[in-house]
Structure formats: structure tokens, C-alpha cells
């Protein structure tokens, strides 16, 4: 019997990740046959920089697949099975401000961690809800697979404001780290491992790494990470990553020292070593500048070349775990594969001694009806304490957005582990309000 063909819209069509996701979709037509690929963005000029190349990528694989790039929500969301969402409200220039405002006050300035992530959260909620509403209006049976950051705050907002919507919030970070773990353990692929992991988004720990024979690989990997972080042997011999990412992977050696019975998410460095991070960052040239000068330029110029030549032959587009993970998730939903995947979901007892209504990142089984979270048991005091503070911060940001509350946002910033005092929190808040006039609700 022929497999059912799916129709996919990519929300945030102008994203730097769109071409690699489109390419990965059409490289997997045997697993996920497609009848339509749509790009949707609210910035036509930006999306058009990528659209022609994406059309060529699709048509080279199968000219029968319909392709459309549009800024009309009705056209975009009609007759859709899956929405792969990755919007950035305010785009990269606002990320730059998020990072620089914090750093200029001596605080971690990062896309999703610390105050920058909270400012970004206040911008993202509206945009994500708007796209869910379009999807439900024009294709009520569709699923949204949502990468839009800051995923922790966005996930809390979707839990609270769209509790019955078919939205799954995801992150590629554990996937990238698991590939490094597999390399360190001497395995070819992260899917050769059985893992247990719990935490919040960008704030979690692996408690089990085993091969398929049940051999415990965690102690061996911890020994490596204590010395080299998640930098693999190949990467040491022939470095490929940008220096800023290598630093993050390397710093895991100091994070793991705090609990050598587990393996940490790299982004814990922002909370546990914020002094180190601030000392090593340049407030005049942050990661947003680096992304604009590298990934954004590279992706747009590859797409320009593909469009001018009318072919992908001879052009280079990097395909990463990021695209593979979201396509695997789409396949799991479309064809009931029951794959075990890390998702950001409501806790509801999965972490036994943690709030039921917290959005946590844990393994789930994914099939045609969505996901079934797996029980992760009780967690230790160190992790529980850190997570309680962080989840309170994330919930207060969503409270502030919902209630237009200056006080709740001040409390949220004060609660964040990267912020040293209520005074600094207030100064940051006033700076962010000024910078985000166009995007935040007016706080009273
Ligand atoms: N969850 C994860 O692990 C993960 C990993 C990588 C990237 N991301 C996130 O994916 C998103 C895209 O990243 P990027 O660097 O490619 O961003 P980008 O700025 O290149 O692209 C984002 C696009 O979203 C569009 N957009 C903004 N608001 C919109 C709206 N309301 N409706 C439709 N489109 C809208 C913008 O116009 C832009 O074209 C970001 O949120 C980023 O943080 C998440
Ligand atoms: O600074 P950026 O824009 O490059 O990345 C920020 C995002 O970082 C994570 O994604 C990483 C991933 O962890 C890594 O393995 C590799 O594949 O690159 C990705 C992004 O380039 C993170 O999960 C995202 O939420 C961040 O937005
Ligand atoms: Mn992430």
C-alpha cells in the first residue's frame, strides 16, 4: 500500500534553518512522502531571499510536490498536516540588543539563558500563539512542531494559553550533545544509546547512558568530560566548530564537576559559571553579531547561488542534527513509529518530586496521537533546587506577559540565577522595556 503523503508549512520561512529543513524533508521522502511544502513568514523580503532556492531543492527531488512561499496566513495554513515552526520575533537585531543590554550591566547576555532569554520570551509569546491560531483556523487537525525560542517560556505559554492545541515544543541541544556523547563512548550514532534525561529546556542532566547491550557508558563518558568537556577526539584533532561553541562544549568539564554521577546540558554554564561567561564575552560583539556575520550570510549566499544557477549542484548547505530531529518527529507523528524522543512537556508527575504544572524536558514515546511522557522518578536536591528557581522565573515571565505586570517581570528577573540583585534586575527591566516598545505588552 502507498504511504499517505503529507503537507508541511514552515513558519518562519525566512529562518536560516529553513533551507536545511527543506533539504532534509525531501531527502527523506521514503520515510515521509510529501505532497506540498509551504514557507510562511511575516517578512516577505527576508523569506524571498530563501524561497527560490527552497523551491529548487524540492523540485529537484520531486517535481510533483507543490511548493509555495507566502505571507498570507490563510494560503499558508490551508490544507496542512504539519507546521514546523521556528519564528524569531524581532529577528537577529533584537537578539543583539537582548545580549548587549545584559552584558553592558555585567550580566550574562545570551539568546535564551538569563535576562536576554526573558526579554526574548516577552516578544515570542504573541507570535507563537498567532501561528497556532492560524493553524487551528485553517487546518484544525494539524500538528505544530515548535522550535521557536526561548522554548521554556514559549512552552509555558502554550501550556497555559492553548492547553488543548496540538503543539509539541522541542530543542536540538540534547541531540547535539548526545551525538558528542556517542562519539566519546565509541559509538557511531546517538541512536545506538539508551538514555535517561530530565530537566527544563537548556537546563537538564543525563542520568543513564547505555549501549544496546545494556553496558553502562556513563562513568567512561564522565571521565572524558571532566578533562575535555564534550569536545570529541576528532574535534580535538581537527576542530570544525566555531570558537564560541567549542568554549561552551569545553566548559561542560566544570559543570560536570558539580555532579559527576550525571552528564549536564552545556547551557548550565550560563547559570553555574555566569562570572566566567561575562568575563569572556565582548559586550560590543556578541553571538548575534557572529551569527549575522557567519550563518546568516552563508545561508543567504548559498540560496542566492542556487537561485541564480537554477540548481543545487555545486552549492553547499550544511545539514545538522537540528533538521534531522524535527523530521524524525514529523515521521513519528505521521507513521506512529513510537520513537523515544526528548520533548518539552507538562510534568504531571513524570518527575515525581517536582511541580505537576512545570514544563520539563524528558523522554517521551511519540506516535500518531502525540506523545506519552516517561516517568523519570525522584530527582536530587541540587537539581531540584536549581530547577525550582528557574521554573519560577519562567512562570513569572509568562505571568508578567499575561497581566501586563511590571512587578512580576521585576520579580522574574530578580529570581533568575544570572542576575545578582533586585537593583540590577530593575535597571535591566527598564532598559529592556525601552528597547522592546514595539514588541512587549505595556507593563504597568
Ligand atoms: N529550540 C531549539 O533548540 C532551537 C534551535 C535553533 C534555533 N531555534 C530557534 O529557531 C528560530 C529561528 O532561528 P533563526 O536564527 O533561523 O532566526 P531568523 O531570524 O533567521 O528567522 C526567523 C524568521 O521568523 C520570522 N518571523 C518572526 N515573527 C514571525 C511571525 N509572527 N510569523 C511568522 N514568521 C515570523 C522572521 O521574519 C524570520 O524570517 C529562533 O527562535 C531560534 O531561537 C531553536
Ligand atoms: O547561537 P546560535 O544561533 O548558533 O545557536 C543558538 C541555539 O543553540 C542550540 O542549538 C545548537 C545545537 O545545540 C548545536 O548542537 C548545533 O547543532 O547548533 C545549534 C544551533 O546553531 C539551542 O538548542 C538553541 O535553542 C539555540 O537557539
Ligand atoms: Mn534549544
Amino acid at each position: 500500500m502507498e504511504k499517505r503523503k503529507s503537507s508541511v508549512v514552515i513558519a518562519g520561512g525566512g529562518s536560516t534553518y529553513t533551507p536545511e529543513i527543506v533539504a532534509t524533508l525531501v531527502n527523506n521522502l521514503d520515510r515521509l512522502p510529501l505532497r506540498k511544502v509551504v514557507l510562511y513568514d511575516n517578512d516577505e523580503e527576508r523569506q524571498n531571499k530563501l524561497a527560490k532556492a527552497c523551491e529548487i531543492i524540492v523540485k529537484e527531488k520531486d517535481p510533483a510536490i507543490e511548493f509555495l512561499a507566502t505571507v498570507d496566513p490563510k494560503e499558508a495554513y490551508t490544507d496542512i498536516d504539519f507546521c514546523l515552526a521556528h519564528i524569531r520575533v524581532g529577528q537577529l537585531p533584537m537578539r543583539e540588543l537582548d545580549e548587549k543590554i545584559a552584558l553592558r550591566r555585567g550580566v550574562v547576555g545570551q539568546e535564551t539563558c538569563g535576562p536576554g532569554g526573558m526579554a526574548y520570551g516577552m516578544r515570542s509569546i504573541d507570535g507563537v500563539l498567532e501561528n497556532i491560531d492560524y493553524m487551528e483556523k485553517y487546518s484544525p487537525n494539524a500538528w505544530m512542531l515548535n522550535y521557536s525560542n526561548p522554548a521554556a517560556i514559549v512552552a509555558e505559554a502554550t501550556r497555559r494559553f492553548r492547553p488543548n492545541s496540538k503543539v509539541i515544543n522541542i530543542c536540538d541541544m540534547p541531540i547535539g550533545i548526545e551525538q558528542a556523547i556517542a562519539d566519546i563512548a565509541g559509538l557511531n550514532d546517538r541512536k545506538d544509546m539508551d538514555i535517561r534525561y530530565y530537566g527544563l529546556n537548556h537546563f537538564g542532566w543525563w542520568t543513564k547512558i547505555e549501549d544496546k547491550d545494556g553496558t553502562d557508558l556513563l562513568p567512561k563518558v564522565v571521565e572524558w568530560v571532566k578533562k575535555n568537556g564534550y569536545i570529541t577526539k576528532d574535534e580535538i584533532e581537527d576542530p570544525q566548530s566555531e570558537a564560541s561553541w567549542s568554549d561552551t562544549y569545553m566548559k561542560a568539564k566544570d559543570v560536570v564537576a558539580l555532579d559527576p554521577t550525571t552528564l549536564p546540558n552545556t547551557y548550565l554554564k550560563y547559570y553555574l559559571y555566569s562570572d566566567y561567561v561575562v568575563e569572556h564575552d565582548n559586550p560590543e560583539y556578541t553571538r548575534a553579531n557572529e551569527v549575522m556575520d557567519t550563518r546568516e550570510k552563508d545561508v543567504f549566499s548559498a540560496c542566492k547561488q542556487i537561485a541564480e544557477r537554477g540548481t543545487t549542484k555545486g552549492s553547499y548547505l550544511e545539514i545538522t542534527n537540528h533538521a534531522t530531529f524535527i523530521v524524525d518527529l514529523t515521521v513519528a507523528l505521521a507513521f506512529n513509529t513510537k520513537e523515544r524522543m526528548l520533548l518539552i512537556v507538562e510534568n504531571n508527575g513524570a518527575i515525581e518530586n517536582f511541580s505537576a504544572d512545570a514544563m520539563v524536558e524528558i523522554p517521551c514515546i511519540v506516535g500518531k496521537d502525540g506523545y506519552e511522557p516517561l516517568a523519570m522518578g525522584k530527582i536530587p536536591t541540587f537539581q531540584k533546587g536549581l530547577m525550582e528557581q528557574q521554573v519560577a522565573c519562567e512562570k513569572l515571565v509568562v505571568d508578567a506577559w499575561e497581566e501586563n505586570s511590571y512587578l512580576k517581570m521585576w520579580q522574574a528577573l530578580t529570581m533568575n540565577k544570572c542576575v545578582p540583585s533586585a537593583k540590577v534586575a530593575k535597571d535591566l527591566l527598564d532598559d529592556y522595556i525601552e528597547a522592546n516598545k514595539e514588541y512587549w505588552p505595556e507593563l504597568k
Side-chain angles (χ1 to χ4, degrees):
M1 206 176 67
E2 244 191 44
K3 277 184 167 175
R4 187 174 171 275
K5 292 189 175 182
S6 297
S7 163
V8 172
V9 60
I10 299 185
S15 156
T16 54
Y17 293 96
T18 295
E20 69 164 291
I21 292 179
V22 170
T24 305
L25 282 168
V26 296
N27 284 339
N28 283 276
L29 292 174
D30 52 337
R31 294 197 300 148
L32 184 72
L34 295 173
R35 57 192 170 84
K36 184 162 83 165
V37 173
V38 183
L39 305 191
Y40 167 69
D41 205 290
N42 61 4
D43 180 341
E44 187 165 30
E45 198 187 331
R46 183 176 173 94
Q47 179 165 265
N48 280 345
K49 293 183 181 165
L50 306 173
K52 188 68 203 165
C54 290
E55 181 172 12
I56 292 166
I57 293 168
V58 170
K59 296 288 179 181
E60 262 181 10
K61 284 283 175 188
D62 183 354
I65 299 172
E66 186 186 341
F67 179 87
L68 178 71
T70 178
V71 290
D72 175 359
K74 182 175 180 194
E75 201 177 22
Y77 279 101
T78 299
D79 181 29
I80 287 299
D81 299 307
F82 298 101
C83 169
L84 313 189
H86 53 196
I87 66 166
R88 182 188 293 284
V89 177
Q91 301 184 351
L92 286 160
M94 285 308 296
R95 173 178 178 176
E96 181 183 2
L97 280 180
D98 290 343
E99 293 168 349
K100 290 185 175 175
I101 285 170
L103 274 171
R104 283 174 187 157
R105 291 202 178 270
V107 176
V108 167
Q110 210 275 335
E111 184 194 23
T112 62
C113 304
M118 298 161 73
Y120 186 16
M122 290 287 277
R123 286 199 302 280
S124 292
I125 296 174
D126 231 356
V128 170
L129 297 182
E130 174 187 88
N131 276 276
I132 295 172
D133 293 347
Y134 290 144
M135 179 180 87
E136 295 189 331
K137 180 168 178 193
Y138 298 117
S139 289
N141 296 320
W143 281 99
M144 178 182 282
L145 289 59
N146 187 34
Y147 261 138
S148 311
N149 263 326
I153 291 168
V154 165
E156 170 62 16
T158 59
R159 183 195 73 82
R160 209 184 288 191
F161 305 125
R162 298 294 182 274
N164 300 316
S165 297
K166 292 166 75 173
V167 181
I168 304 183
N169 295 291
I170 53 172
C171 172
D172 64 10
M173 180 78 79
I175 308 311
I177 299 170
E178 278 178 19
Q179 191 52 54
I181 292 174
D183 288 351
I184 293 163
L187 301 173
N188 286 327
D189 192 86
R190 66 176 192 87
K191 290 190 183 179
D192 297 337
M193 308 186 302
D194 286 332
I195 65 102
R196 284 170 76 83
Y197 179 93
Y198 71 83
L200 310 173
N201 178 239
H202 293 174
F203 205 100
W205 293 263
W206 283 267
T207 56
K208 181 178 108 171
I209 307 284
E210 285 181 1
D211 67 16
K212 293 291 174 185
D213 297 326
T215 309
D216 181 6
L217 303 171
L218 193 132
K220 172 181 167 183
V221 178
V222 166
E223 282 316 302
W224 177 275
V225 177
K226 274 182 183 168
K227 294 190 197 80
N228 309 292
Y230 289 113
I231 310 279
T232 62
K233 193 164 167 285
D234 286 352
E235 186 71 18
I236 292 171
E237 282 164 11
D238 181 17
Q240 301 286 324
S241 302
E242 293 159 290
S244 49
W245 271 108
S246 301
D247 183 75
T248 296
Y249 269 52
M250 179 54 95
K251 193 66 186 167
K253 73 182 167 57
D254 296 326
V255 182
V256 79
L258 280 149
D259 179 6
T261 67
T262 62
L263 284 165
N265 191 302
T266 50
Y267 269 19
L268 285 160
K269 81 165 188 178
Y270 292 110
Y271 300 96
L272 301 175
Y273 292 97
S274 54
D275 47 357
Y276 165 90
V277 170
V278 172
E279 273 164 34
H280 288 80
D281 274 355
N282 175 359
E284 304 309 321
Y285 190 84
T286 60
R287 178 66 190 155
N289 299 112
E290 208 170 57
V291 170
M292 287 187 267
D293 289 342
T294 55
R295 188 171 68 236
E296 189 179 42
K297 277 209 171 74
D298 294 346
V299 170
F300 283 175
S301 71
C303 286
K304 188 164 178 273
Q305 193 180 57
I306 293 169
E308 282 167 2
R309 292 178 176 174
T311 174
T312 60
K313 295 196 178 65
S315 299
Y316 176 70
L317 268 177
E318 193 185 11
I319 310 273
T320 65
N321 289 318
H322 179 85
T324 314
F325 184 60
I326 200 166
V327 172
D328 283 353
L329 180 57
T330 314
V331 174
L333 291 163
F335 294 108
N336 205 25
T337 63
K338 304 285 178 177
E339 186 169 345
R340 186 175 159 142
M341 306 184 85
L342 282 179
L343 308 177
I344 305 161
V345 298
E346 193 165 34
N347 184 33
N348 275 334
I351 301 173
E352 206 182 314
N353 53 343
F354 200 62
S355 324
D357 66 355
M359 292 303 277
V360 295
E361 199 162 82
I362 49 173
C364 300
I365 303 294
V366 186
K368 66 177 175 34
D369 300 320
Y371 52 83
E372 297 169 73
L374 296 175
M376 290 295 112
K378 283 201 172 119
I379 60 173
T381 307
F382 176 63
Q383 280 84 356
K384 184 169 180 282
L386 288 170
M387 283 167 59
E388 273 165 356
Q389 179 176 1
Q390 179 62 15
V391 92
C393 163
E394 289 159 3
K395 280 184 180 290
L396 281 164
V397 173
V398 182
D399 289 347
W401 185 87
E402 185 178 15
E403 299 164 23
N404 295 352
S405 168
Y406 182 98
L407 186 66
K408 290 281 172 74
M409 196 59 188
W410 184 22
Q411 290 176 351
L413 283 156
T414 304
M415 180 70 73
N416 195 278
K417 197 165 162 53
C418 298
V419 178
S421 75
K423 156 83 172 66
V424 176
K426 197 166 195 305
D427 291 343
L428 284 168
L429 178 52
D430 292 337
D431 291 351
Y432 280 121
I433 288 174
E434 185 60 30
N436 281 280
K437 279 193 181 128
E438 218 186 299
Y439 302 101
W440 282 18
E442 195 184 334
L443 302 186
K444 294 181 187 92

